[in-house]
Amino acid sequence: GGGGGGGGGGGGAAQSVDDNVPLVHHFVAERLAASFPNLTANQVQASVDGLVELHGDAVAFREHVRDFIIFIREETAEENEELYAYEREQAAREAAAAEYQRKRLVPGLLKPSATMDDVDADDDRDDDDDDDDDD
């Protein structure tokens, strides 16, 4: 009798798992949407649908997850470019400041009235001026 009750309990557990699929589907979709706000609702839905549909096929499931990760990396790469743009601009400003300091220490490389902003413009003019002086 106890074995039959256990079997019935197992059937009930299987039924409750089936009932939980929409809940898990919704939960995973919410988590993905919150974690990756750049994804559209359709992209999130397609990703979660694939996870649910492919749960029985380990190879296909793994490929689906891999494709999702690659897609996310491609999408965020564009956003990361903006983050690195600031760092590149900062490095360029620091290089210009170092160049200005180097020129400031060597007499005659800068005009007495030259400022940090003039360094780039002076570099271009100095090349032209040197050509004129040699003639």
Side-chain angles (χ1 to χ4, degrees):
Q15 181 62 37
S16 66
V17 169
D18 290 339
D19 291 343
N20 284 334
V21 168
L23 295 174
V24 171
H25 193 277
H26 180 72
F27 176 78
V28 172
E30 282 185 339
R31 296 291 49 133
L32 285 177
S35 297
F36 303 103
N38 56 322
L39 295 180
T40 66
N42 288 339
Q43 291 169 325
V44 170
Q45 192 65 39
S47 299
V48 175
D49 288 346
L51 295 173
V52 172
E53 292 169 10
L54 301 172
H55 77 278
D57 184 351
V59 173
F61 185 86
R62 192 175 322 124
E63 288 177 3
H64 182 72
V65 171
R66 185 181 310 130
D67 290 344
F68 178 76
I69 291 170
I70 290 169
F71 177 75
I72 292 300
R73 287 184 179 167
E74 290 171 350
E75 290 291 313
T76 57
E78 295 173 7
E79 295 172 6
N80 288 343
E81 283 298 316
E82 294 174 10
L83 296 175
Y84 294 123
Y86 174 79
E87 292 174 358
R88 284 191 300 268
E89 291 171 3
Q90 183 64 28
R93 284 191 294 272
E94 290 172 2
E99 179 68 9
Y100 174 76
Q101 292 302 324
R102 183 188 69 80
K103 285 184 173 187
R104 209 182 93 215
L105 295 174
V106 178
L109 287 183
L110 291 177
K111 296 177 185 173
S113 62
T115 64
M116 178 72 186
D117 295 332
D118 297 330
V119 172
D120 290 331
D122 283 344
D123 284 341
D124 295 337
R125 284 193 302 249
D126 285 343
D127 292 340
D128 293 341
D129 290 344
D130 289 342
D131 292 341
D132 293 341
D133 292 339
D134 293 338
D135 290 338

